[in-house]
Amino acid sequence: DQQVKQNSPSLSVQEGRISILNCDYTNSMFDYFLWYKKYPAEGPTFLISISSIKDKNEDGRFTVFLNKSAKHLSLHIVPSQPGDSAVYFCAASEGNNRLAFGKGNQVVVIP
Amino acid sequence: NAGVMQNPRHLVRRRGQEARLRCSPMKGHSHVYWYRQLPEEGLKFMVYLQKENIIDESGMPKERFSAEFPKEGPSILRIQQVVRGDSAAYFCASSPPDRRTEYFGPGTRLLVL
């Protein structure tokens, strides 16, 4: 049972434009959400997180938005850079329970 | 502060052999998680351990797979009598006491011939 879903498996975007990645979840008890970035042949790297008490968290070029009523979060990358080409995983957790991961979105930034 | 360390990075085994994967968590982290990523698929949770205890092994195959996290030394994921279907990337992650964020190692890529 996939509690965290990432549709649109791949995204291509021009360098300098905005990349928007979407994630939907089914468990209304999730209270912490994270995005990870993964390059080929490397482990996932923690990127940014957001608590359910917030609806936005920003860190440099990366912003995560949380819409609890829609059970939806998104990651915005602006401006996109070629080094952002990677697979992005959305993850969520409830309390001290382990993270539930989505299947990932491939992002390709075209120079 | 060194990150999560995994070794070996690459491991080749013949069918029927044993594979032993090691993971050293980040300093100060006492929670370890193992994930498997098959080609073209996402991360699949396998097992969650604390020192000397298996907390959640709901993602572990019932046979041939085992994991431990001894009081001293790294966490070990052991696969006995490997088969070709075990070929995958195996990632270890660790988390601090609050367990809110997991930090991943570089992974071990297992190839079974």
Side-chain angles (χ1 to χ4, degrees):
Chain A
D1 182 25
Q2 193 76 19
Q3 297 188 78
V4 178
K5 297 179 182 178
Q6 294 178 256
N7 296 321
S8 307
S10 64
L11 169 71
S12 291
V13 63
Q14 205 72 32
E15 181 179 3
R17 307 295 289 268
I18 185 170
S19 294
I20 299 176
L21 297 163
N22 294 302
C23 178
D24 296 292
Y25 60 94
T26 57
N27 186 348
S28 59
M29 300 301 290
F30 282 150
D31 61 356
Y32 194 67
F33 305 86
L34 310 89
W35 284 94
Y36 286 82
K37 174 181 177 180
K38 185 182 180 304
Y39 291 123
E42 295 185 15
T45 301
F46 168 69
L47 200 55
I48 192 169
S49 62
I50 187 168
S51 164
S52 61
I53 62 173
K54 294 186 175 182
D55 54 19
K56 177 183 175 181
N57 188 26
E58 190 173 349
D59 183 1
R61 296 185 298 113
F62 302 92
T63 303
V64 55
F65 295 92
L66 176 62
N67 182 335
K68 289 186 290 292
S69 61
K71 296 194 188 71
H72 177 84
L73 70 155
S74 62
L75 174 68
H76 292 208
I77 308 172
V78 56
S80 300
Q81 299 174 354
D84 295 331
S85 297
V87 175
Y88 290 80
F89 291 98
C90 171
S93 67
E94 171 193 349
N96 279 339
N97 290 340
R98 60 177 175 83
L99 296 179
F101 282 87
K103 292 193 173 183
N105 286 131
Q106 174 73 57
V107 172
V108 176
V109 179
I110 303 164
Chain B
N1 186 11
V4 177
M5 299 175 69
Q6 290 187 249
N7 68 83
R9 294 291 306 274
H10 299 274
L11 182 61
V12 179
R13 285 287 179 266
R14 297 193 181 278
R15 281 179 295 169
Q17 291 184 319
E18 178 179 285
R20 193 171 293 202
L21 289 62
R22 296 175 185 77
C23 169
S24 296
M26 288 177 70
K27 188 176 181 180
H29 289 189
S30 57
H31 305 273
V32 166
Y33 313 81
W34 285 94
Y35 292 83
R36 177 165 64 175
Q37 184 178 30
L38 294 169
E40 307 302 322
E41 293 191 13
L43 296 166
K44 184 176 184 298
F45 168 79
M46 299 181 74
V47 61
Y48 157 46
L49 311 101
Q50 292 182 25
K51 285 283 187 182
E52 300 184 277
N53 285 303
I54 296 175
I55 307 301
D56 179 355
E57 56 181 348
S58 58
M60 286 277 272
K62 299 298 181 193
E63 298 178 347
R64 303 188 297 107
F65 285 71
S66 63
E68 63 177 10
F69 189 16
K71 186 176 180 181
E72 301 291 337
S75 175
I76 307 285
L77 178 68
R78 185 180 291 110
I79 312 172
Q80 296 177 304
Q81 300 173 338
V82 296
V83 300
R84 288 211 175 117
D86 297 332
S87 296
Y90 291 83
F91 294 100
C92 168
S94 71
S95 67
D98 69 1
R99 294 189 56 203
R100 301 262 64 179
T101 304
E102 294 177 20
Y103 297 90
F104 284 81
T108 294
R109 276 139 194 91
L110 172 65
L111 176 62
V112 180
L113 301 176

